[in-house]
């Protein structure tokens, strides 16, 4: 059972479209070896609505839809029959509606996520538990950290996260936040969407900003990775993890649908000792200025379909 579907119903994590109790199913799913990866979607998905169900979209093995329909489980190495695959938990929560209402709903989903992780820890206390979260899903993941004990979450990969730096920093100072390693995946393609987030949601403090530009104060276990920076692509190419160049001036989904990025995340979560945060932090370039991608002149060859070639 490599793929485990969860839906948050009335603030509680339950099996998707099932009345069976969660704990026995979890115990069965955790019987195999390998890491536990919890996938958390962002805004507009809702497992209770068929047309917005993430389990039939990015959480499915063969999703149908537009360019945003990329199978997260498949790209992370699940569904291949490998005994070491581990358990993939697709965590669906009600994220449709007015943005500011969903932002508050994310905090409630954090509590359901924390309860789920605690159950995993009781059943399999030695298993590494990782998080991969996009957009408002990053708020869900970060919000669960203070509710858990140090060591409960090993790594969190946040993709174009919708959260303020002050709240992210507060989460890192409590509970599981004191030990978790965070790879904060950013992109200048997401700048327009982050600005919209900052205009819709009240900040946590004066001059606060979203995590898309990185934390204001460096943290030992937090690394900001601008995935569309040419220097980042050169570094990952040298590590055997090529990533395609971008064709968009703005895109909220490029942190997971750009060719090659999901393989990078799979390596980060499956082989954390190989891709150490300290090594990445030493070699990664600083974040480029906000809107720098919009203000530069277009590179005409980049407008054409491109493959995973060596960055120029």
């Amino acid at each position: 059972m490599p793929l485990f579907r969860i839906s948050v119903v009335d603030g509680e994590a339950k099996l998707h479209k099932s009345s069976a109790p969660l704990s026995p199913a979890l115990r069965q799913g955790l019987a195999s070896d390998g890491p536990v990866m919890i996938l958390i979607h962002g805004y507009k998905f809702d497992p209770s609505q068929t047309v917005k169900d993430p389990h039939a979209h990015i959480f499915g093995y063969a999703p149908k839809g537009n360019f945003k329909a990329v199978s997260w489980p498949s790209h992370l190495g699940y569904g291949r029959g490998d005994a070491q695959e581990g358990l993939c938990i697709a965590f669906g929560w009600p994220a449709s509606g007015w943005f500011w209402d969903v932002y508050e709903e994310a905090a409630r989903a954090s509590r359901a996520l924390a309860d789920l992780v605690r159950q995993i820890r009781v059943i399999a206390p030695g298993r590494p538990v990782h998080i991969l979260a996009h957009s408002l899903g990053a708020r869900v993941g970060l919000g669960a950290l203070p509710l858990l004990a140090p060591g409960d979450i090993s790594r969190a990969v946040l993709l174009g996260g919708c959260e303020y730096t002050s709240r992210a920093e507060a989460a890192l100072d409590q509970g599981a936040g004191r030990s978790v390693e965070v790879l904060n995946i950013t992109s200048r393609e997401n700048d327009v969407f982050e600005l919209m987030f900052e205009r819709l949601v009240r900040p946590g403090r004066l001059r606060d900003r979203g995590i898309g530009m990185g934390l204001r104060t460096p943290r030992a276990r937090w690394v900001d990775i601008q995935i569309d920076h040419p220097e980042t692509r050169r570094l990952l190419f040298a590590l055997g993890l090529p990533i395609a160049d971008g064709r968009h001036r703005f895109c909220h989904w490029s942190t997971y649908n750009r060719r090659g990025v999901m393989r990078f995340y799979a390596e980060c979560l499956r082989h954390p000792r190989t891709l150490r945060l300290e090594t990445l932090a030493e070699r990664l370039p600083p974040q480029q200025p906000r809107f720098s991608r919009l203000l530069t002149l277009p590179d005409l060859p980049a407008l054409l379909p491109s493959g995973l070639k060596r960055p120029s």
Side-chain angles (χ1 to χ4, degrees):
M1 191 190 296
L3 180 57
F4 201 80
R5 295 180 174 89
I6 292 290
S7 294
V8 176
V9 181
D10 297 328
E12 184 179 350
K14 299 182 178 181
L15 295 174
H16 183 55
K17 294 183 178 180
S18 174
S19 59
L22 176 59
S23 185
L26 259 183
R27 190 174 296 277
Q28 180 182 355
L30 289 166
S32 61
D33 294 327
V36 179
M37 298 189 200
I38 303 177
L39 317 181
I40 313 174
H41 63 76
Y43 184 46
K44 290 191 176 181
F45 284 113
D46 190 335
S48 68
Q49 302 183 39
T50 301
V51 296
K52 299 180 180 180
D53 186 0
H55 299 296
H57 200 269
I58 55 175
F59 290 166
Y61 281 129
K64 297 179 180 180
N66 55 24
F67 71 99
K68 295 179 285 185
V70 174
S71 172
W72 289 19
S74 295
H75 282 84
L76 293 172
Y78 290 97
R80 302 175 183 177
D82 188 342
Q84 300 297 317
E85 279 185 8
L87 180 63
C88 180
I89 299 180
F91 186 86
W93 59 287
S96 63
W98 295 108
F99 186 86
W100 42 87
D101 291 335
V102 177
Y103 183 77
E104 294 303 319
E105 184 64 38
R108 290 186 282 273
S110 295
R111 294 190 283 273
L113 174 62
D115 181 64
L116 173 65
V117 173
R118 282 192 289 266
Q119 293 186 58
I120 294 171
R121 281 287 169 232
V122 170
I123 298 170
R127 295 280 288 277
V129 178
H130 307 305
I131 286 174
L132 179 68
H134 177 246
S135 186
L136 278 176
R139 172 168 165 81
V140 177
L142 288 168
L145 296 179
L147 308 177
L148 296 165
D152 281 353
I153 302 294
S154 298
R155 270 193 173 180
V157 179
L158 311 180
L159 315 178
C162 284
E163 185 55 292
Y164 281 107
T165 56
S166 64
R167 290 166 185 159
E169 289 166 350
L172 296 177
D173 291 333
Q174 305 174 67
R178 295 192 179 99
S179 60
V180 68
E181 293 186 337
V182 179
L183 292 88
N184 181 38
I185 308 299
T186 71
S187 171
R188 298 286 66 81
E189 295 165 307
N190 193 51
D191 286 344
V192 171
F193 297 91
E194 185 162 65
L195 179 64
M196 292 170 61
F197 158 69
E198 292 173 353
R199 293 297 178 268
L200 289 171
V201 177
R202 185 188 298 275
R205 65 185 177 199
L206 187 65
R207 299 189 185 91
D208 211 350
R209 68 184 187 191
I211 61 176
M213 288 301 296
L215 297 184
R216 293 185 182 274
T217 304
R219 298 289 185 113
R221 293 182 305 278
W222 176 294
V223 61
D224 299 308
I225 305 176
Q226 186 188 327
I227 208 68
D228 63 336
H229 196 303
E231 293 298 327
T232 301
R233 293 181 57 239
R234 291 189 186 97
L235 169 61
L236 296 181
F237 186 92
L239 294 174
L241 297 167
I243 293 176
D245 57 348
R247 290 176 288 160
H248 304 288
R249 288 303 180 108
F250 53 91
C251 181
H252 187 49
W253 308 274
S254 65
T255 51
Y256 68 79
N257 68 17
R258 182 190 293 257
R259 287 182 60 195
V261 292
M262 291 298 290
R263 183 187 169 205
F264 169 48
Y265 306 148
E267 289 296 313
C268 289
L269 298 178
R270 289 193 176 276
H271 307 289
R273 294 182 180 178
T274 301
L275 285 174
R276 299 177 61 86
L277 255 62
E278 299 87 348
T279 303
L280 290 173
E282 290 173 357
R283 301 174 64 183
L284 283 166
Q287 300 285 303
Q288 293 177 315
R290 180 177 279 186
F291 302 127
S292 57
R293 192 175 185 87
L294 289 174
L295 297 176
T296 55
L297 292 174
D299 179 8
L300 294 181
L303 298 179
L304 302 174
S306 57
L308 301 179
K309 59 187 178 182
R310 179 183 178 87
S312 58

